[in-house]
Amino acid sequence: MTTHSFSRRTFLATVASAAAAPALARAGDALATLAPSAQTSATEDWKDAGVIDLSKSPYAKLKTVPIRAVVIEEGFWSKRRRTNVESSIPSMHDELIAHGRMNNFLRLIGKSSAPQVGPVYSDSDIYKWTEAVGFCLQSGDQPALRETTKAMIDEVVASQEPGGYLNTYFVGDRKPLRMLYPTQETGHELYCMGHMLQASIAYYRATGDSELLDAGIRFIDDFLLPSYGPAPNQKGIVAGHPEIEMALIELYRTTGNRRYLDLAGYILHGDPRIPLRSQQIVYMFCGIPFTSRTRLEGHAVRAMYACCGATDYYLETGDAAYWQTLNRLWNDLTQHQIYVTGGVGAREAGEAFGDPYELPNARAYGESCAAIGNMMWNWRMLAASGEARFADVVERALYNGINSGMSLDGTTYCYRNPLAFDPTGDSADRHTPEGKIRNPWYDTTCCPPNLERTFASLPGYFYSTSSEGVYVHLYDNSTMSWRLLDGNGLRIQQRTNYPWEGDVKLTVTPASPAEFTVFVRIPGWSARNAVKVNGNSLAGAQPGEYLAIRRRWSTNDTIDLSFDMSVQPLRANPAVNDDRGRIAFQRGPIVFCMEKLDQPDQAGNMSEYIARPGVAGSSVFKAELLQGVMVLDQPGMVSAPTVNRGLYFPVTESEHPDQTPTTLKLIPYYAWANRAPSSMQVWVPYTNV
Amino acid sequence: MTTHSFSRRTFLATVASAAAAPALARAGDALATLAPSAQTSATEDWKDAGVIDLSKSPYAKLKTVPIRAVVIEEGFWSKRRRTNVESSIPSMHDELIAHGRMNNFLRLIGKSSAPQVGPVYSDSDIYKWTEAVGFCLQSGDQPALRETTKAMIDEVVASQEPGGYLNTYFVGDRKPLRMLYPTQETGHELYCMGHMLQASIAYYRATGDSELLDAGIRFIDDFLLPSYGPAPNQKGIVAGHPEIEMALIELYRTTGNRRYLDLAGYILHGDPRIPLRSQQIVYMFCGIPFTSRTRLEGHAVRAMYACCGATDYYLETGDAAYWQTLNRLWNDLTQHQIYVTGGVGAREAGEAFGDPYELPNARAYGESCAAIGNMMWNWRMLAASGEARFADVVERALYNGINSGMSLDGTTYCYRNPLAFDPTGDSADRHTPEGKIRNPWYDTTCCPPNLERTFASLPGYFYSTSSEGVYVHLYDNSTMSWRLLDGNGLRIQQRTNYPWEGDVKLTVTPASPAEFTVFVRIPGWSARNAVKVNGNSLAGAQPGEYLAIRRRWSTNDTIDLSFDMSVQPLRANPAVNDDRGRIAFQRGPIVFCMEKLDQPDQAGNMSEYIARPGVAGSSVFKAELLQGVMVLDQPGMVSAPTVNRGLYFPVTESEHPDQTPTTLKLIPYYAWANRAPSSMQVWVPYTNV
């Protein structure tokens, strides 16, 4: 273990200095030459790929922009991303080491005598962390982090068997179980393989170093492809936990080898030779033709990853049946299944989607990974269509149900992201042995590195290009230095206090003046909008659509956007039993919640706080609170303690007697549970009085 | 198996003729001599015991009245009890045989070569069914049923080992596991033992036949008492699933052997030599001093049975700490944990109590056994105190959350009793492999025979005696022929259409005119009441109290009770998230529900039906519907389909747009799911307009 036993302090210091923006700024400066296409020589194609590489995908209306092409500057996301690189990624590294996840590899090469530890999918923890590092390094080199990771990659690759197989769980006595049916359903071998491929591609796109990628290709070419697939001499294959589909398609995009795409399609179709019970088909969201799916069900992360893979398949093949199914599932998502926070997965049992409108708050599962899967899927749907409804879901999940998953200090994580919480209730602590909603480690530690890779890849989600021009999806202080599809260099600078304020100034600078379209996203939540180009008002902005601004652009043209940042009390569909008689507060993309510790009146039960949505409140930015958040002061009431009342009483008795005025204090949902344990609710009881 | 292979048809015919009331009427006639004390010779003490025998319990303010002393005549409960004896008990017998539950015993005596089948607690199924038969025979002999049961008892007893041990699971290879720690926690040996004792006592009190009782005593005396208990030479003991406590105490009451009471007390105290994790202590509701409990938690049936045993212990010992704890737990029950149907147990996970106010409707567990345990516990609390608040809970559970557990035809049973249901949702069917809410058999078939024993013992819950006179707890056409504690014979006849109508006429006939008190229960739900004695109004009736009518009673004195049968819309405490914005309808003791199939407007989602509690409805008795039920016609509205609306929308949009008037049709909750599968809800959204 000496390889990885560098001092945490040293590591942090190195990372911190790298992260303190000079590296990032350098990337931006370099691109400021406005000749980015000249930078990428034929041998450095890897530098041009985005979070996923849609540059050659025939059915991708939008093309991804490299992470390195977008520098996020001081603002909302810079804090999160600095925390990610300074705190989360290094501390998760130490957790992975401490919990023996690297030892699992080292024992295979004689460098450790510790036994295999962790669940069957433990290798994926290492890969997801490596992918996070890969995305991170795409924003600028960090030598210490890169070298640490490279050393780990060396050891991972060293543990690969000559036949290409690489999985630290199915070795020794368990070797005969490899890809054996029915172990295949639950063994997560393809899941780990998928994360290995994604990690290898992210690291390759950061560094051009293909060591892990080559190992991944050997794994697929030498082990998987020869033996598993539709041919009579091949064995049956089932994803078990979808993930391999999107990984194989990204490998196809990276290498051009169509066999990877075909195998992904075969897995998405479901292998008829693998007999599955109907419960498994529901739970695993695989094993039958993806195009036969009519609703989201079963394990939420599995379903979301399957949808990602299926959308990737559509982006490459244009198979209309896939697009039809994906839209049917998306309607189910947005009509019945998504939390207002963008989280998904209502049920703890099976970590699963519930029935339509089954969206409990305190008992919400809303796994961080599922919200991330939701964002990844919608990102792909957006690329396929250019439709802003998908970007709205990306934004909702990102700012709320994903952002909540990592503590503000970056060292603890939510696995579940409930929309109501009572730290004194036993439902608060029965989900984790530690009894806390945020923990530094889970034995199934899927969420922490998943959050890390998401924040590390964030610059790649800001823009897309298309045959018509450029799309602006997300808003924050940033500079994009990239090129249009015709090769003309383009810089777009954003200046804003988004998401706290609704004004965004874009400065558009093409390398050569040219006519093209800038598609600016008008968020679905923004009812009233104003758009100006070089100071002149422009009509036509519609909430939930891209406003296409086509003109001849030249240096320092400006677009001024002004979104509606009024507080929006939301109601849920009456079929959502758990939200009846309650409202949620949203302001801009941010969903708010009440933490009891902020309230001037300390009610006994959160249901004693009553909102008055008809009475206007105010918003105040508090720089010193929770790393700087907008706080909503909403006029409300606090009623008599519920504890003094019977469980059932005649309807003639007031539901909320003895109301006295109070001010409800709401903070962004993503920032909850970062102070002392406190009751929390997103959906607040309300009165129309 | 030839012993039990009698024809179902013959069996039914015999039972039916026995049940067609002559046998029951005979019992009544005999008691009409008004000298019941003369009937019970010294050798027939067993005839005097009630559901439990509190005749010598020093801290029982109320004494039980024998089941045989009360004949329930044609009315509400007669149908249920006829179904129980004509359909449920015989069909459950056949199910038990078909599922090998008797084979488990027969193989031990060489009469079957089939392997052991069923879960570890399978013997209890046979015992609980036998107990149901015992209670049944206490209402009058039924030779075929008695002979069938006697033959089964012969075989059960024949399978007892010379050392007294009797459990068909822990034999052969499993013999070394007997009462072994930690098998003791999960092995249900003491649970099965408890049900054996209860069955043996019920059968003995029916017939005077002590064969099974003697076997039970041998089991305790020869196997349990010598080896398990507090002495240094004894081994540790933990109930695992409470049940043995109340059984041992009933054995103490039956035999007078105080060692049984002491052992029950020791188990209730928790054996410090048995190390339990805190989760086990919560889940099993045993293992620590009962008097240290502060809330209901964990497995609901376990908790309720533990409370039964603890109350039994108090009734015998008067231990004030027990009474204090029991009242604390009762307050938790009624303030935080009980469903409006009297059911308990909010969570499927662990079949458990939830947090305070955690009372989901569709996801309610509400196991039939837990509602029964709740009734049994409150029956004991009532005996200890004479306070009507406990009788109110007995009635609520009995008429609603228990009565719902058996189908109207008596052949299928609910394990769960949810308060909302959608047969198209997958939460409808994930609880049973059959996908139905009512099933003829469950592999854990605890509920069906539990329901059968409850309905069979029902006459024993109608009355109690005390030093002051007699208590009337329940109302239905019936004749009690028993005696006061001073030995004076007493007959009370009830004439009523309760629970459909609120008038009850009691005719009180003492053997000799005498001064004593008739305590008539004024139900807690009855806001306005009228009481007349021999036609003269009597003041002082208070809801939720017994009205004490002390006077000199003589032949054919009458009491006319008139309860408030207006429809009562109920609201839940605002802290119950799942009931917010909803009301439930209660009329008399009956809680109502909406089944979609009854509604004139077939809404897409149950939440589209909106009640208007401010507008009076009407009640109509429909004799042909569901074996005769009151139907509520409540003015209401039906709104635009929720499916056409977004999941979230601004609060300025109406929650229920496009309302059109309709009439909501409500049926008694107990009768739901007796026709075609249909959506159901107890708690109905409402508007104040």
Side-chain angles (χ1 to χ4, degrees):
Chain A
M1 282 313 305
T2 50
T3 318
H4 305 296
S5 65
F6 56 80
S7 142
R8 166 93 179 271
R9 189 179 302 273
T10 313
F11 180 61
L12 271 171
T14 318
V15 168
S17 67
L24 304 180
R26 269 197 307 280
D29 292 342
L31 287 160
T33 64
L34 295 181
S37 64
Q39 293 189 316
T40 48
S41 72
T43 56
E44 289 194 333
D45 278 354
W46 49 268
K47 285 193 170 175
D48 291 355
V51 175
I52 52 177
D53 181 8
L54 303 180
S55 58
K56 301 182 205 73
S57 304
Y59 297 89
K61 186 168 175 184
L62 309 194
K63 308 297 184 186
T64 38
V65 166
I67 292 169
R68 56 169 48 80
V70 179
V71 177
I72 296 179
E73 291 146 357
E74 202 59 33
F76 183 83
W77 285 115
S78 64
K79 285 179 288 189
R80 173 57 84 190
R81 283 172 42 78
R82 193 177 303 123
T83 301
N84 192 41
V85 76
E86 291 180 7
S87 173
S88 296
I89 289 176
S91 64
M92 183 48 51
H93 170 274
D94 295 352
E95 292 280 353
L96 289 167
I97 299 300
H99 290 90
R101 296 304 191 257
M102 272 309 294
N103 267 350
N104 287 343
F105 292 94
L106 296 177
R107 61 189 277 271
L108 300 184
I109 53 174
K111 288 192 181 178
S112 166
S113 56
Q116 193 277 338
V117 294
V120 66
Y121 34 74
S122 293
D123 289 359
S124 70
D125 304 338
I126 294 292
Y127 296 136
K128 236 184 290 184
W129 183 87
T130 303
E131 189 182 5
V133 171
F135 285 137
C136 197
L137 299 180
Q138 289 179 40
S139 280
D141 191 28
Q142 299 180 25
L145 179 59
R146 175 172 44 76
E147 284 159 24
T148 299
T149 309
K150 173 67 174 171
M152 289 166 69
I153 288 173
D154 289 343
E155 289 164 339
V156 166
V157 172
S159 65
Q160 185 172 32
E161 297 180 14
Y165 190 81
L166 177 45
N167 183 307
T168 69
Y169 191 89
F170 292 99
V171 296
D173 292 347
R174 296 183 185 128
K175 190 172 172 179
L177 297 174
R178 283 180 189 176
M179 289 292 285
L180 197 69
Y181 177 81
T183 315
Q184 220 187 104
E185 296 162 16
T186 55
H188 287 71
E189 282 170 285
L190 294 170
Y191 173 86
C192 289
M193 202 183 288
H195 278 300
M196 180 195 178
L197 294 176
Q198 288 181 325
S200 74
I201 292 167
Y203 193 82
Y204 169 70
R205 288 177 184 168
T207 60
D209 178 340
S210 66
E211 179 190 11
L212 189 59
L213 177 59
D214 293 338
I217 291 171
R218 282 196 301 276
F219 198 173
I220 305 301
D221 286 357
D222 298 349
F223 175 82
L224 192 68
L225 283 178
S227 300
Y228 299 90
N233 64 331
Q234 288 176 309
K235 281 175 271 191
I237 187 165
V238 62
H241 188 315
E243 154 67 23
I244 186 71
E245 302 90 334
M246 60 176 146
L248 281 173
I249 295 173
E250 203 59 32
L251 188 62
Y252 158 67
R253 291 170 182 151
T254 308
T255 62
N257 184 343
R258 195 175 168 94
R259 293 179 67 200
Y260 307 143
L261 174 65
D262 292 341
L263 183 60
Y266 185 68
I267 295 170
L268 282 163
H269 181 75
D271 191 325
R273 292 168 300 174
I274 300 270
L276 297 171
R277 297 190 308 277
S278 60
Q279 265 187 323
Q280 293 178 298
I281 288 168
V282 168
Y283 173 72
M284 303 191 314
F285 217 86
C286 59
I288 57 167
F290 182 86
T291 51
S292 69
R293 298 275 174 185
T294 58
R295 52 166 295 202
L296 295 173
E297 58 189 349
H299 188 261
V301 180
R302 282 173 165 84
M304 291 294 95
Y305 283 13
C307 289
C308 288
T311 314
D312 278 331
Y313 190 73
Y314 169 77
L315 288 165
E316 302 308 323
T317 65
D319 187 325
Y322 272 80
W323 188 241
Q324 196 174 26
T325 300
L326 287 161
N327 275 281
R328 191 188 303 131
L329 298 178
W330 190 85
N331 287 333
D332 186 35
L333 173 81
T334 52
Q335 293 295 308
H336 308 132
Q337 298 282 9
I338 194 172
Y339 281 99
V340 72
T341 56
V344 290
R347 293 185 188 155
E348 181 187 9
E351 305 184 315
F353 281 104
D355 289 335
Y357 304 115
E358 181 187 333
L359 293 164
N361 291 312
R363 297 165 64 81
Y365 203 67
E367 184 182 339
S368 297
C369 286
I372 291 169
N374 187 20
M375 174 177 166
M376 291 165 66
W377 174 33
N378 274 278
W379 174 245
R380 287 158 169 80
M381 295 293 280
L382 172 61
S385 66
E387 293 179 20
R389 58 189 171 121
F390 302 113
D392 278 343
V393 177
V394 167
E395 185 182 65
R396 182 174 294 279
L398 173 63
Y399 277 91
N400 303 292
I402 294 173
N403 202 17
S404 60
M406 184 186 283
S407 65
L408 293 177
D409 69 3
T411 60
T412 59
Y413 308 85
C414 291
Y415 194 107
R416 291 175 64 228
N417 294 274
L419 279 76
F421 189 75
D422 177 0
T424 67
D426 63 2
S427 54
D429 54 336
R430 65 203 167 88
H431 301 282
T432 59
E434 301 81 3
K436 293 180 189 156
I437 194 75
R438 296 192 184 275
N439 295 279
W441 175 260
Y442 297 87
D443 200 44
T444 294
T445 203
C446 50
C447 297
N450 215 349
L451 289 158
E452 289 159 9
R453 70 171 178 156
T454 302
F455 295 128
S457 62
L458 196 56
Y461 288 88
F462 270 56
Y463 294 91
S464 298
T465 54
S466 80
S467 57
E468 297 175 79
V470 63
Y471 280 73
V472 191
H473 306 305
L474 297 176
Y475 299 108
D476 198 355
N477 289 324
S478 57
T479 302
M480 180 198 77
S481 305
W482 187 233
R483 59 176 183 256
L484 295 170
L485 291 187
D486 63 11
N488 192 8
L490 176 66
R491 180 165 69 186
I492 298 182
Q493 189 185 59
Q494 293 192 33
R495 285 296 171 260
T496 183
N497 278 318
Y498 196 93
W500 308 126
E501 293 172 24
D503 294 341
V504 185
K505 180 182 279 291
L506 305 177
T507 305
V508 180
T509 300
S512 318
E515 182 179 336
F516 58 90
T517 306
V518 178
F519 294 86
V520 290
R521 175 173 158 260
I522 312 298
W525 47 259
S526 182
R528 290 179 303 279
N529 302 281
V531 180
K532 291 180 183 172
V533 176
N534 294 333
N536 303 313
S537 288
L538 198 67
Q542 293 295 327
E545 294 187 7
Y546 286 92
L547 177 67
I549 311 177
R550 185 156 191 97
R551 63 192 292 283
R552 186 172 175 84
W553 298 94
S554 52
T555 303
N556 290 332
D557 280 341
T558 60
I559 305 173
D560 284 288
L561 304 172
S562 183
F563 300 130
D564 180 359
M565 300 305 279
S566 57
V567 175
Q568 302 197 339
L570 296 177
R571 241 201 290 246
N573 189 303
V576 181
N577 291 330
D578 289 66
D579 297 342
R580 176 171 297 275
R582 293 175 178 269
I583 52 173
F585 291 90
Q586 182 170 347
R587 183 182 179 282
I590 302 287
V591 173
F592 284 74
C593 71
M594 289 176 67
E595 280 200 302
K596 190 171 162 183
L597 56 75
D598 289 318
Q599 309 311 314
D601 295 281
Q602 289 289 301
N605 182 293
M606 292 302 278
S607 64
E608 293 159 23
Y609 297 112
I610 306 157
R612 302 174 68 192
V615 186
S618 58
S619 311
V620 186
F621 187 79
K622 302 220 170 175
E624 76 291 355
L625 183 66
L626 296 163
Q627 299 190 3
V629 291
M630 193 67 74
V631 173
L632 305 190
D633 287 346
Q634 285 295 128
M637 310 294 281
V638 61
S639 74
T642 54
V643 72
N644 295 343
R645 311 191 68 194
L647 192 50
Y648 306 108
F649 47 85
V651 74
T652 47
E653 284 183 32
S654 167
E655 188 167 10
H656 293 292
D658 303 329
Q659 295 184 18
T660 53
T662 188
T663 299
L664 308 181
K665 301 275 185 183
L666 293 100
I667 61 162
Y669 170 75
Y670 74 79
W672 83 283
N674 273 286
R675 295 170 292 176
S678 177
S679 292
M680 179 276 288
Q681 63 185 0
V682 170
W683 289 94
V684 184
Y686 75 98
T687 173
N688 282 323
V689 180
Chain B
M1 282 314 302
T2 50
T3 320
H4 304 297
S5 67
F6 57 80
S7 143
R8 167 91 180 274
R9 189 179 300 275
T10 312
F11 180 61
L12 271 172
T14 319
V15 168
S17 68
L24 304 182
R26 269 197 306 278
D29 292 343
L31 287 162
T33 65
L34 296 182
S37 66
Q39 293 188 319
T40 48
S41 74
T43 57
E44 288 195 332
D45 277 354
W46 49 269
K47 284 192 171 176
D48 291 354
V51 174
I52 53 178
D53 181 7
L54 302 180
S55 58
K56 302 181 204 72
S57 304
Y59 297 90
K61 186 169 176 183
L62 309 194
K63 307 298 182 184
T64 38
V65 166
I67 291 169
R68 55 167 50 79
V70 179
V71 177
I72 296 180
E73 292 145 357
E74 202 60 34
F76 183 82
W77 286 115
S78 63
K79 284 179 289 189
R80 173 57 85 191
R81 283 173 41 80
R82 193 177 303 123
T83 301
N84 192 40
V85 75
E86 291 179 7
S87 172
S88 295
I89 289 176
S91 63
M92 184 47 52
H93 170 273
D94 295 352
E95 293 279 354
L96 289 166
I97 299 301
H99 290 89
R101 296 304 190 259
M102 271 310 293
N103 267 351
N104 286 344
F105 292 95
L106 296 177
R107 61 190 277 271
L108 301 183
I109 54 174
K111 288 191 179 178
S112 167
S113 56
Q116 192 278 338
V117 294
V120 67
Y121 34 74
S122 293
D123 290 358
S124 70
D125 303 338
I126 293 292
Y127 296 136
K128 234 184 291 184
W129 183 86
T130 302
E131 189 183 6
V133 172
F135 285 137
C136 198
L137 299 180
Q138 289 179 39
S139 280
D141 191 29
Q142 299 181 24
L145 179 58
R146 175 172 44 76
E147 284 159 24
T148 299
T149 309
K150 173 65 174 172
M152 289 166 68
I153 288 174
D154 289 342
E155 289 165 340
V156 166
V157 172
S159 66
Q160 186 173 32
E161 296 181 14
Y165 190 82
L166 177 45
N167 182 307
T168 70
Y169 191 88
F170 292 99
V171 295
D173 292 348
R174 297 182 186 130
K175 190 172 172 180
L177 298 174
R178 283 181 189 175
M179 290 291 287
L180 196 71
Y181 178 81
T183 315
Q184 220 188 104
E185 296 163 15
T186 55
H188 288 71
E189 282 170 285
L190 295 170
Y191 173 85
C192 289
M193 202 182 287
H195 278 300
M196 179 195 179
L197 294 176
Q198 288 181 324
S200 74
I201 292 168
Y203 193 82
Y204 169 69
R205 288 178 184 167
T207 61
D209 178 340
S210 67
E211 181 190 10
L212 189 60
L213 177 59
D214 294 338
I217 292 171
R218 283 196 300 276
F219 198 173
I220 306 300
D221 286 356
D222 299 351
F223 175 81
L224 193 67
L225 283 178
S227 301
Y228 299 90
N233 63 330
Q234 289 177 308
K235 282 174 270 190
I237 187 166
V238 62
H241 188 315
E243 154 68 22
I244 186 70
E245 303 89 335
M246 60 175 146
L248 280 173
I249 295 173
E250 203 58 32
L251 188 64
Y252 159 66
R253 291 170 181 151
T254 308
T255 62
N257 184 343
R258 195 176 168 93
R259 294 179 67 200
Y260 307 143
L261 175 65
D262 292 341
L263 183 59
Y266 186 67
I267 295 170
L268 282 164
H269 181 74
D271 190 326
R273 291 168 300 174
I274 301 270
L276 297 171
R277 297 189 308 276
S278 60
Q279 265 188 322
Q280 293 178 298
I281 287 169
V282 168
Y283 173 72
M284 304 193 312
F285 216 85
C286 60
I288 57 166
F290 182 86
T291 51
S292 68
R293 297 274 173 186
T294 58
R295 52 166 295 201
L296 295 172
E297 58 188 349
H299 189 261
V301 180
R302 282 171 164 85
M304 291 293 96
Y305 283 13
C307 289
C308 289
T311 314
D312 279 332
Y313 189 73
Y314 169 76
L315 288 165
E316 302 307 322
T317 64
D319 186 325
Y322 273 80
W323 187 241
Q324 196 174 27
T325 300
L326 286 162
N327 275 281
R328 192 187 302 129
L329 298 178
W330 190 86
N331 286 335
D332 186 34
L333 173 81
T334 53
Q335 293 295 309
H336 308 132
Q337 297 283 8
I338 195 172
Y339 280 100
V340 71
T341 57
V344 290
R347 292 185 189 156
E348 182 187 6
E351 305 184 315
F353 281 103
D355 289 335
Y357 305 114
E358 181 186 333
L359 294 164
N361 291 312
R363 296 166 65 82
Y365 203 67
E367 184 181 339
S368 297
C369 285
I372 291 168
N374 187 21
M375 174 177 166
M376 291 165 65
W377 174 34
N378 275 278
W379 175 244
R380 286 157 169 80
M381 296 293 280
L382 172 61
S385 66
E387 293 178 20
R389 58 190 171 118
F390 302 113
D392 277 343
V393 177
V394 167
E395 186 182 65
R396 184 174 293 279
L398 173 63
Y399 277 92
N400 303 292
I402 293 173
N403 202 18
S404 60
M406 184 187 283
S407 65
L408 293 178
D409 70 2
T411 59
T412 60
Y413 309 84
C414 291
Y415 194 107
R416 290 175 65 228
N417 294 273
L419 279 75
F421 189 76
D422 176 1
T424 67
D426 63 0
S427 53
D429 54 340
R430 66 204 166 90
H431 301 280
T432 60
E434 301 80 5
K436 292 179 190 158
I437 193 75
R438 296 192 184 276
N439 296 279
W441 176 259
Y442 296 87
D443 201 43
T444 293
T445 204
C446 50
C447 297
N450 216 350
L451 291 158
E452 288 159 10
R453 68 172 180 156
T454 303
F455 295 128
S457 63
L458 196 56
Y461 287 88
F462 270 56
Y463 294 91
S464 297
T465 54
S466 81
S467 57
E468 297 174 82
V470 63
Y471 281 73
V472 191
H473 306 305
L474 297 176
Y475 299 108
D476 198 356
N477 290 324
S478 57
T479 301
M480 179 197 78
S481 305
W482 187 233
R483 58 177 183 256
L484 295 170
L485 291 187
D486 62 11
N488 193 9
L490 177 66
R491 181 166 66 186
I492 298 180
Q493 189 185 56
Q494 293 192 33
R495 287 295 171 262
T496 183
N497 278 317
Y498 196 95
W500 306 128
E501 294 174 24
D503 294 341
V504 184
K505 180 183 280 293
L506 305 177
T507 304
V508 180
T509 300
S512 318
E515 183 179 333
F516 58 89
T517 307
V518 178
F519 294 86
V520 290
R521 177 176 157 259
I522 311 299
W525 46 260
S526 180
R528 290 180 303 279
N529 303 281
V531 181
K532 291 180 185 173
V533 176
N534 293 333
N536 303 313
S537 288
L538 198 68
Q542 292 296 328
E545 294 188 5
Y546 287 92
L547 176 67
I549 311 177
R550 185 156 191 96
R551 64 190 294 279
R552 185 173 175 83
W553 297 93
S554 50
T555 303
N556 289 333
D557 279 340
T558 61
I559 305 172
D560 285 287
L561 305 172
S562 183
F563 301 129
D564 180 359
M565 301 304 280
S566 57
V567 175
Q568 303 197 337
L570 296 177
R571 242 201 290 244
N573 189 302
V576 181
N577 291 330
D578 289 67
D579 297 341
R580 178 171 295 275
R582 294 175 179 268
I583 53 172
F585 291 91
Q586 182 170 347
R587 183 182 178 281
I590 302 287
V591 173
F592 284 74
C593 71
M594 290 176 67
E595 281 200 302
K596 189 170 163 184
L597 55 75
D598 288 318
Q599 310 311 314
D601 295 280
Q602 290 290 301
N605 183 292
M606 291 302 279
S607 65
E608 293 159 21
Y609 296 113
I610 305 155
R612 301 174 67 192
V615 186
S618 57
S619 310
V620 187
F621 187 77
K622 302 220 171 176
E624 74 293 354
L625 183 67
L626 297 163
Q627 300 189 3
V629 291
M630 193 66 74
V631 173
L632 305 190
D633 286 347
Q634 284 295 127
M637 309 295 280
V638 60
S639 73
T642 53
V643 72
N644 295 342
R645 311 189 69 194
L647 192 49
Y648 306 107
F649 47 85
V651 75
T652 47
E653 284 183 32
S654 167
E655 188 166 8
H656 294 291
D658 304 330
Q659 295 183 17
T660 53
T662 189
T663 299
L664 308 181
K665 301 276 185 182
L666 292 100
I667 60 162
Y669 171 74
Y670 74 80
W672 84 283
N674 273 286
R675 295 170 291 176
S678 177
S679 293
M680 181 275 288
Q681 64 185 1
V682 170
W683 289 94
V684 184
Y686 75 97
T687 173
N688 282 323
V689 180

